[in-house]
Amino acid sequence: MDNSYESLSESVKHFYIPSYVLSPESEAPALTIAPPESPVLVFVNSKSGGQLGGELLLTYRSLLNEKQVFDLGVETPDKVLRRIYLNLEKLKEDDLARHIRDKLKIIVAGGDGTAGWLLGVVCDLKLSHPPPVATVPLGTGNNLPFAFGWGKKNPGTDTASVELFLDQVLKAKEMKIDNWHIVMRMKTPKEGPCDPLAPLELPHSLHAFHRVSSTDELNMEGCHTFRGGFWNYFSLGMDAQVSYAFHSERKLHPEKFKNQLVNQSTYVKLGCTQGWFCASLFHPASRNIAQLAKVKIANKNGQWQDLDIPHSIRSIVCLNLPSFSGGLNPWGTPNPRKQRDRDLTPPFVDDGYIEVVGFRNAWHGLVLLAPNGHGTRLAQANRIRFEFRKGAADHTFMRMDGEPWKQPLPMDDETVMVELSHLGQVNMLATHDCRSRSMYDPSTPRHQDSAEEYDDNEDDSVTEGEEFRKFGAADTFKIPDEVDISHLS
């Protein structure tokens, strides 16, 4: 028997995996180990959350078998999971190993980018028994954890906090989540680069862009083609520009970004200095989405049709989960009349549809802080395409699941095309506080059919002036108490 198993508390034994199941070099224990109720593999980004990632790694290793806890800065999840599942296949006649395979869960601690990386690996491996994933909020936005009830504040790293989180994992329910594929294609430019420029050098997987190989079915002769994927959102425009500035600043001065509140305050300050709060004054009209790109969506019959984008819109968010920018819900809850008139459906996370929302500026974004606040609802679709026009701009900014990049655009006659489409699903773990809604789960919390639950105060079809007047009259609108904007420039 593993010596460490004897010293474990009864509650922690629910999660323990013996070494021989994890590694083919380890010998099976001499004595019987009780089948764990909720065996877990733990992946920690030790660079996330300042020193919190490193502290969390040590705590998990002190509680569990240290061989079931992995530092993502040392070993990538695809190599770990491939090795473990190959070993599980060799042990398929072993009752304990088979039980662990069937009951296995994954815990990932890091930012949204880290969580998306691991989800992408689980999806890519096409496992016969794909484990559901629980996310520990260890980043700045923490949209993925918040959407499934795991909170958005960085967790405690002490033993009691970790044991409490493990208990939540034990009680959590499984919920499927849609996976979205993204393809970007452009003719090889006559001059200048076209590769995405990211400020962070992280070991991204599915959620980041990669140039496709010559053997990839998406490859086209004479074109540069990139592909990737996301779980939470893809955004285009000025919000991604502010995010790019934030990540670039953090890369240059990492010592200044050790605290979640400081990070969020810095984000607001950069929103001011980048002109996001006064976009109509400081943001060139050529960067408005309608000027920058033609947007098309596929209707329910699969036919492409143009999507009308108001000329004031400077940022578009394609949203899969009801959590954006630290837990806000840009889509909101349309009242039944709006749903009927515009053929809208509730924003389920597993229905194969994505919600497309537009914003004029940061003040428009901050309307989400008001009760029933939402952005400009543009469409719901299972495919959406952006076609960037010749000469509109020499670059734009994009962001997927918290990871921004600056995208150069060729200036010749060729169109740059970005297309999002539904790809598949993966299993998440959700707590009883889960905000996400499943179309298949009758126990998912749903809004009551009372008038106060719906946003009757603003019609998406009103003119910009009318919309602004209604928004300006909202006496409940306010900036979060913890963000002091008195010193911002």
Side-chain angles (χ1 to χ4, degrees), residues 315-319 330-331 355-359 374-379:
S315 181
I316 279 183
V317 180
C318 301
L319 195 72
W331 186 258
E355 283 68 50
V356 186
V357 186
F359 293 99
H374 61 89
T376 300
R377 300 187 187 102
L378 299 172

Side-chain angles (χ1 to χ4, degrees), residues 241-447:
Q241 177 179 332
V242 175
S243 178
Y244 182 86
F246 172 82
H247 283 268
S248 298
E249 183 74 12
R250 185 166 66 175
K251 182 181 178 183
L252 289 173
H253 305 287
E255 71 282 356
K256 296 180 181 179
F257 295 83
K258 299 293 187 182
N259 178 278
Q260 190 179 33
L261 182 57
V262 170
N263 291 358
Q264 292 169 343
S265 298
T266 303
Y267 208 101
V268 173
K269 182 176 181 180
L270 285 169
C272 294
T273 58
Q274 293 284 317
W276 185 211
F277 282 88
C278 301
S280 59
L281 298 177
F282 299 108
H283 194 245
S286 62
R287 294 286 177 83
N288 294 357
I289 301 300
Q291 294 290 105
L292 195 64
K294 178 183 287 187
V295 185
K296 296 183 177 182
I297 61 171
N299 61 24
K300 293 181 179 179
N301 297 322
Q303 298 173 320
W304 289 102
Q305 58 189 43
D306 291 340
L307 180 63
D308 183 41
I309 306 295
H311 284 274
S312 59
I313 297 298
R314 292 170 174 83
S315 181
I316 279 183
V317 180
C318 301
L319 195 72
N320 189 38
L321 304 181
S323 181
F324 175 75
S325 191
L328 303 176
N329 182 2
W331 186 258
T333 307
N335 67 40
R337 178 180 57 81
K338 291 181 185 178
Q339 292 189 41
R340 181 183 65 252
D341 293 347
R342 296 188 58 192
D343 194 24
L344 301 176
T345 61
F348 297 120
V349 299
D350 51 5
D351 60 358
Y353 284 92
I354 198 165
E355 283 68 50
V356 186
V357 186
F359 293 99
R360 298 186 303 275
N361 50 38
W363 295 112
H364 189 194
L366 286 175
V367 74
L368 303 179
L369 298 170
N372 302 327
H374 61 89
T376 300
R377 300 187 187 102
L378 299 172
Q380 287 178 306
N382 65 359
R383 294 175 73 190
I384 181 168
R385 179 185 294 169
F386 300 90
E387 296 176 353
F388 293 90
R389 298 168 178 171
K390 172 190 174 183
D394 60 359
H395 68 273
T396 188
F397 294 89
M398 303 180 187
R399 180 164 63 142
M400 288 193 300
D401 288 357
E403 307 293 349
W405 72 95
K406 181 179 180 179
Q407 181 58 53
L409 301 174
M411 301 300 290
D412 53 28
D413 293 338
E414 301 300 336
T415 299
V416 178
M417 184 277 294
V418 175
E419 185 175 318
L420 316 181
S421 59
H422 185 256
L423 180 62
Q425 294 182 325
V426 73
N427 294 326
M428 297 292 292
L429 286 171
T431 74
H432 66 280
D433 293 324
C434 176
R435 295 166 58 88
S436 298
R437 302 170 65 190
S438 167
M439 65 183 299
Y440 302 107
D441 184 3
S443 68
T444 298
R446 297 171 183 268
H447 291 278

